[in-house]
Amino acid sequence: MAEFDLPLMRCGCGRIVCFETLIAVAGLTRLAAALAAIQTFVPGLMQLRSSDLAIQRVGDIWCKITAELLHSLILTVDLNVIILGGGLSKIDGMAANLQTALYDTLLSPLKDTEILCAQGSDASGARGAAFMAWQNV
């Protein structure tokens, strides 16, 4: 976080500088406030990345921070596919931008991990969890 001169934030879990405080949609909002003085930030603003340098910087930093977390997961679990869900899956180009940032952090043999958006809308994860719970009853 020091690389981007971000304020230290306490997460709901009690940790300081928890990934959740920065990479969820609420985290993207926090980054926009801290980096670009944008107080009201919705994922739709990411569509302005190509024409607004401040929003582009917010998106790039979000991708770098998220790629660092994904890098750790890939080194630990050896993931082949990562699925973005929730509000982030609604942002056009987010998976491709994150894929590029991830490639910049990974060693060559690990660059086969693919990032995709959920196909069944932003509620896919909740539906999948409900289905798994239903199967286990």
Side-chain angles (χ1 to χ4, degrees):
M1 302 316 130
E3 176 184 350
F4 306 114
D5 196 28
L6 296 172
L8 300 178
M9 295 171 263
R10 185 171 298 278
C11 180
C13 73
R15 295 177 65 200
I16 295 177
V17 194
C18 183
F19 277 105
E20 179 68 19
T21 63
L22 297 171
I23 65 172
V25 171
L28 198 52
T29 303
R30 286 185 194 96
L31 286 175
L35 298 169
I38 298 171
Q39 297 305 317
T40 303
F41 188 78
V42 295
L45 284 179
M46 291 307 292
Q47 307 308 325
L48 302 174
R49 279 186 78 178
S50 61
S51 61
D52 187 314
L53 292 177
I55 293 173
Q56 182 177 7
R57 182 170 181 259
V58 169
D60 290 347
I61 290 173
W62 180 88
C63 283
K64 286 179 184 177
I65 292 169
T66 305
E68 287 298 326
L69 173 63
L70 297 179
H71 181 173
S72 296
L73 289 172
I74 291 166
L75 291 175
T76 304
V77 186
D78 192 24
L79 302 169
N80 292 317
V81 176
I82 296 169
I83 307 294
L84 294 182
L88 296 171
S89 65
K90 294 181 178 181
I91 301 173
D92 289 337
M94 189 57 84
N97 293 332
L98 186 53
Q99 185 84 61
T100 300
L102 182 61
Y103 279 2
D104 291 343
T105 66
L106 292 176
L107 301 170
S108 293
L110 301 173
K111 291 189 178 191
D112 62 343
T113 301
E114 193 174 4
I115 298 178
L116 303 170
C117 288
Q119 293 180 351
S121 83
D122 59 339
S124 294
R127 278 195 302 280
F131 183 70
M132 295 252 326
W134 176 71
Q135 286 183 320
N136 291 324
V137 171

